[in-house]
Amino acid sequence: MMLALALLAPPPATESIGLVGTSQGVPVKGILTRSVQADRSLLSTLELTLMPPGQDPIIVRQETHLKSDGQPLRKLQSVVQGTTRTSFAATFDRRDAQWQGPPGMPAFKVPAPRDTEIRARSDFWFLTERPEVGAKWVYHRFVTDKGQWEATVVEYKGPVSIKWNGQDVPAHRVVSGDAVADLDDRGMPLQLDSPQGKLTRAVPE
């Protein structure tokens, strides 16, 4: 895997953007917030509100806290629809995830597969470091709602030009599996495209 050594200028402490689009054919809007803590760790929250016709909105909230080197500290996920709430949580001690499913389920430890990378360094691309074109980051990430580690490959394809708000704007294309993210120079998404749907950054009011 290749990574550039050049560091970027200090990022803003907190940044939020709105997102709009569809997920599995259902209209969705959301807010992504990224906050660099005093210890240089990264706290990211994504809240999506899905609006299926004739039903209560579905609110999905994900939170990820990473050390400055990408080592996971905590991951949370909750899904709320009407009076029904389902939540999952994981805290990390070195290479072990302590996983807690919905209420009533026992907590248990999920060790990462042996001799695997678990740091999510690619989450810091364009935030604190700039990858070279073709750079790949191969690691295992913990999937909170499944309670398991999954192999993940993230690749920086290079600069592209996309249509946003009726204009051609520059972006950085990053691919992970069948998901494509077009990011701005700070690593915040302009658009996210996956088999589940597409989200685009909302135009600021």
Side-chain angles (χ1 to χ4, degrees):
M1 63 189 77
M2 300 181 297
L3 286 176
L5 298 178
L7 298 179
L8 303 179
T14 301
E15 186 173 9
S16 294
I17 59 169
L19 296 166
V20 293
T22 60
S23 177
Q24 298 179 340
V26 175
V28 59
K29 61 181 180 180
I31 297 177
L32 172 64
T33 300
R34 187 178 63 183
S35 179
V36 179
Q37 309 295 293
D39 61 359
R40 310 298 291 174
S41 63
L42 178 63
L43 180 62
S44 301
T45 60
L46 174 63
E47 185 172 295
L48 298 175
T49 301
L50 289 78
M51 296 166 284
Q55 301 181 38
D56 289 330
I58 302 170
I59 302 173
V60 181
R61 188 177 190 276
Q62 299 174 334
E63 180 179 302
T64 301
H65 192 190
L66 304 172
K67 287 184 179 180
S68 59
D69 64 353
Q71 180 80 12
L73 291 168
R74 184 179 73 254
K75 298 188 77 173
L76 308 173
Q77 180 169 320
S78 65
V79 181
V80 178
Q81 185 174 25
T83 59
T84 302
R85 178 186 177 91
T86 306
S87 58
F88 308 87
T91 55
F92 299 86
D93 180 13
R94 297 182 182 177
R95 296 183 56 80
D96 295 331
Q98 186 71 21
W99 185 76
Q100 176 66 65
M105 291 186 63
F108 58 89
K109 184 170 66 175
V110 188
R114 189 173 180 179
D115 298 327
T116 57
E117 175 65 76
I118 64 170
R119 294 175 299 162
R121 286 280 301 277
S122 52
D123 281 26
F124 291 81
W125 285 358
F126 307 105
L127 177 65
T128 59
E129 61 184 42
R130 186 176 297 277
E132 297 175 357
V133 175
K136 289 185 179 181
W137 188 251
V138 181
Y139 73 110
H140 274 66
R141 64 185 176 92
F142 191 77
V143 183
T144 319
D145 59 343
K146 295 181 180 180
Q148 65 187 36
W149 297 90
E150 289 189 358
T152 303
V153 180
V154 184
E155 182 176 3
Y156 174 41
K157 293 294 188 177
V160 294
S161 178
I162 65 169
K163 284 284 187 182
W164 181 77
N165 193 25
Q167 300 179 2
D168 292 319
V169 297
H172 301 282
R173 179 154 293 175
V174 174
V175 175
S176 180
D178 51 12
V180 179
D182 292 320
L183 311 175
D184 65 18
D185 282 338
R186 301 181 308 280
M188 293 290 271
L190 290 161
Q191 61 185 21
L192 302 168
D193 204 346
S194 73
Q196 289 73 42
K198 183 174 183 178
L199 295 175
T200 301
R201 183 186 297 188
V203 178
E205 297 180 359

